[in-house]
Amino acid sequence: MKYKDDYQKIVYDLLSLTPNMNKMDRITEEMDWYADSDTRNFYLWKDQNDNWSGLLGVEDKEQNLLIRRLVLVPELFTMDNCFKMLNELEKIYLDKKIVGSLETAKVCEAWEQSKDE
């Protein structure tokens, strides 16, 4: 689900799970950076129990969709759940190739390979 202001607390909580995001100022900066551009968005993911459990920070780059952040609550951080999040995002951006940043490249590459199997 695409980020709306109603979900600010959820995004804040999920971002706080990432390394280097343990300070309120840093999280606020990150959220502001996404809000400052129409090409950047957060997408939230619900697990099988309908709980907010994941977050993707994306940037639209013409033909590509760059995954800048990929966050899951620790107890659900599996490749399978990462792949589910990326599969759902791919349905929204059918005309874009999903690629990873330095932080997310390994997961995105594994996801891409899993689609070929």
Side-chain angles (χ1 to χ4, degrees):
M1 172 178 290
K2 194 172 185 178
Y3 172 76
K4 295 187 267 188
D5 288 339
D6 297 351
Y7 301 123
Q8 185 173 4
K9 172 104 174 72
I10 297 163
V11 170
Y12 189 93
D13 289 347
L14 288 166
L15 282 175
S16 72
L17 298 171
T18 62
N20 304 324
M21 288 279 181
N22 52 0
K23 294 186 179 169
M24 189 172 184
D25 292 345
R26 180 65 187 104
I27 294 171
T28 302
E29 284 175 19
E30 180 89 355
M31 291 177 75
D32 289 346
W33 186 78
Y34 277 88
D36 286 344
S37 174
D38 291 340
T39 64
R40 297 185 290 255
N41 282 298
F42 287 118
Y43 286 86
L44 293 163
W45 179 74
K46 284 186 173 184
D47 64 20
Q48 66 274 13
N49 297 319
D50 208 34
N51 296 317
W52 295 114
S53 300
L55 171 115
L56 291 168
V58 304
E59 186 171 6
D60 193 334
K61 297 276 202 179
E62 296 181 20
Q63 295 95 352
N64 297 325
L65 189 68
L66 179 64
I67 307 300
R68 292 196 166 273
R69 291 267 175 226
L70 192 154
V71 182
L72 276 162
V73 295
E75 60 272 14
L76 292 177
F77 195 92
T78 65
M79 284 303 231
D80 188 48
N81 284 332
C82 291
F83 293 175
K84 286 177 185 176
M85 290 173 55
L86 292 169
N87 286 338
E88 288 181 22
L89 190 67
E90 185 179 47
K91 291 176 188 173
I92 298 168
Y93 290 94
L94 295 172
D95 60 333
K96 305 275 183 186
K97 177 170 176 51
I98 294 176
V99 296
S101 65
L102 290 175
E103 290 181 15
T104 63
K106 287 183 182 177
V107 173
C108 290
E109 289 168 8
W111 170 71
E112 195 65 45
Q113 288 175 354
S114 75
K115 294 187 327 178
D116 293 336
E117 294 174 359

